[in-house]
Amino acid sequence: MKTRPAGIGNVNADWMGSLPPKLSGLPLKHLAVPGSHDSFTYWVDVHAPVGPDQKVYVKYLATMFSVLAKKVMVKWSMTQNLTFKEQLDAGIRYFDLRVSSKPGEPGLEIFFIHGLFGHKVRDGLTEINSFLREHRKEVIFLDFNHYYVMGSEHHEYLIKMLQEVFSSKLCKNCEVETVTMDYLWERKYQVIVFYHHPSAQGVPVMWPGNKIPAPWANTTEPGKLIQFLETTLKQRAKQGSFHVSQAILTPRVNTVARGLVWGLRNYLVERNLPAIMSWVEVQRPGSDGVNIITSDFVELSDFANIVIGLNNLLLSEPDRKAR
């Protein structure tokens, strides 16, 4: 599948702000929102030690191919090519975040991680905030769902950092049903942070992880993935939570071994993307439809445009209160 630069540039930089009143008044959990999986892995540090989040296949690589391991790991750790700003400009509004401290390093600095260490979290958040300052009606989901080598002081540091960087843009935890774009615009909220750790309990601007379930298929086969996405959508809670459909395939040790020199993108993602995108294209948002959909390498197809476009289906429905 050829790489097409569709959706790259800032064509979707203001898509939320451009929503018609019929959609901006709907619960946000009923809208289709494009997201990225392992969002900030477009750069990883090959000079830093291997990350404490090592998956089985990463450990396998590190032991079997110690000299080449990191070069190979880069190909299997990177799930995105676009920077923070490029993803935001392309219309991505949900970010899947895994974070870690660096063992043995003084201080409390936190980094994005996926097999290898990436950027400092603070740098990423600052870049996101710059975008939000320029695009006042855009709203993002930050889903902090994996933490490594982090004690209570690291969590305090990260939660405080989020409050410092985004300040009054942070939406307070409330009933998911009440959160519409109109509600957020009225209060000048632009960031909803989900923090899957007890440290955030009692912090009003940190939402609990159970309000954004993201079931994971853990398969290399597109047929099984699609079946899983269908099943979990049917089980989607009618009330009380957002929902993430992870339209991603997950490599196993033997996948990596067979596709060692190609890497995740060439070996697993590109060849299966047409089947996955065919599923995405026929989805419908709404009370019992899709909400957030995530993908690897969001620039490989018209992913963001297609997901955003699904919202037009809601315009053809007769006027009625959201179910």
Side-chain angles (χ1 to χ4, degrees):
M1 182 166 179
K2 274 187 82 176
T3 302
R4 288 172 295 154
I8 307 312
N10 60 359
V11 289
N12 291 325
D14 293 293
W15 74 265
M16 285 178 148
S18 309
L19 288 170
K22 183 169 178 181
L23 298 186
S24 65
L26 284 178
L28 188 47
K29 61 174 263 189
H30 293 179
L31 297 183
V33 178
S36 57
H37 167 242
D38 269 326
S39 300
F40 297 141
T41 53
Y42 62 87
W43 177 84
V44 287
D45 186 357
V46 290
H47 302 295
V50 171
D53 66 329
Q54 295 169 22
K55 295 187 171 69
V56 175
Y57 69 82
V58 175
K59 290 177 182 166
Y60 167 80
L61 288 174
T63 43
M64 297 300 289
F65 309 97
S66 51
V67 181
L68 294 169
K70 282 193 182 166
K71 286 186 178 174
V72 172
M73 280 171 66
V74 168
K75 289 185 177 182
W76 287 93
S77 293
M78 288 175 72
T79 58
Q80 303 299 335
N81 281 328
L82 302 187
T83 65
F84 310 103
K85 185 173 188 311
E86 286 169 339
Q87 289 187 48
L88 288 160
D89 281 341
I92 300 299
R93 294 293 176 268
Y94 165 91
F95 299 102
D96 164 32
L97 306 171
R98 294 113 200 269
V99 294
S100 178
S101 71
K102 271 190 188 168
E105 201 170 89
L108 296 170
E109 208 54 72
I110 311 288
F111 298 82
F112 295 117
I113 192 162
H114 189 223
L116 295 167
F117 285 98
H119 287 86
K120 287 181 182 175
V121 170
R122 186 179 289 276
D123 293 345
L125 299 182
T126 304
E127 194 172 330
I128 291 168
N129 195 47
S130 299
F131 173 88
L132 294 175
R133 265 205 304 268
E134 290 171 25
H135 304 272
R136 297 284 184 179
K137 294 183 102 176
E138 299 308 292
V139 172
I140 60 158
F141 297 85
L142 296 181
D143 191 357
F144 287 87
N145 51 57
H146 284 70
Y147 308 88
Y148 302 94
V149 201
M150 286 176 59
S152 56
E153 68 282 10
H154 292 104
H155 284 286
E156 280 170 33
Y157 174 76
L158 178 53
I159 291 165
K160 191 174 172 210
M161 183 198 302
L162 285 159
Q163 291 173 299
E164 282 171 3
V165 172
F166 296 119
S167 186
S168 60
K169 293 187 185 78
L170 289 169
C171 177
K172 291 185 178 69
N173 178 17
C174 60
E175 291 299 316
V176 174
E177 288 290 325
T178 64
V179 181
T180 63
M181 293 305 299
D182 293 338
Y183 171 93
L184 296 162
W185 293 339
E186 193 181 315
R187 291 159 181 79
K188 296 185 166 56
Y189 290 154
Q190 288 185 274
V191 184
I192 305 177
V193 176
F194 298 88
Y195 205 92
H196 299 237
H197 193 274
S199 305
Q201 277 173 11
V203 183
V205 290
M206 297 289 122
W207 290 58
N210 62 9
K211 286 198 174 178
I212 192 154
W216 173 46
N218 192 14
T219 181
T220 55
E221 297 173 38
K224 284 187 179 172
L225 169 65
I226 287 161
Q227 196 177 359
F228 178 85
L229 291 170
E230 289 287 339
T231 305
T232 49
L233 257 187
K234 286 192 187 102
Q235 296 162 352
R236 183 182 172 189
K238 297 285 182 205
Q239 302 292 324
S241 72
F242 296 101
H243 181 84
V244 181
S245 296
Q246 296 198 63
I248 57 158
L249 296 170
T250 305
R252 299 204 164 92
V253 170
N254 59 354
T255 320
V256 178
R258 283 200 306 268
L260 204 57
V261 293
W262 288 283
L264 177 70
R265 174 176 159 171
N266 295 353
Y267 191 74
L268 198 59
V269 177
E270 287 191 5
R271 61 166 75 174
N272 294 304
L273 202 57
I276 295 171
M277 289 310 300
S278 296
W279 178 83
V280 173
E281 285 167 7
V282 297
Q283 294 314 298
R284 187 182 187 90
S287 60
D288 48 4
V290 291
N291 177 204
I292 296 157
I293 305 177
T294 61
S295 176
D296 286 325
F297 300 107
V298 293
E299 81 288 355
L300 284 182
S301 66
D302 281 326
F303 173 72
N305 289 333
I306 289 166
V307 176
I308 293 165
L310 296 177
N311 291 306
N312 293 329
L313 298 170
L314 297 172
L315 291 172
S316 59
E317 290 187 352
D319 279 309
R320 64 175 183 270
K321 290 194 80 174
R323 286 170 287 166

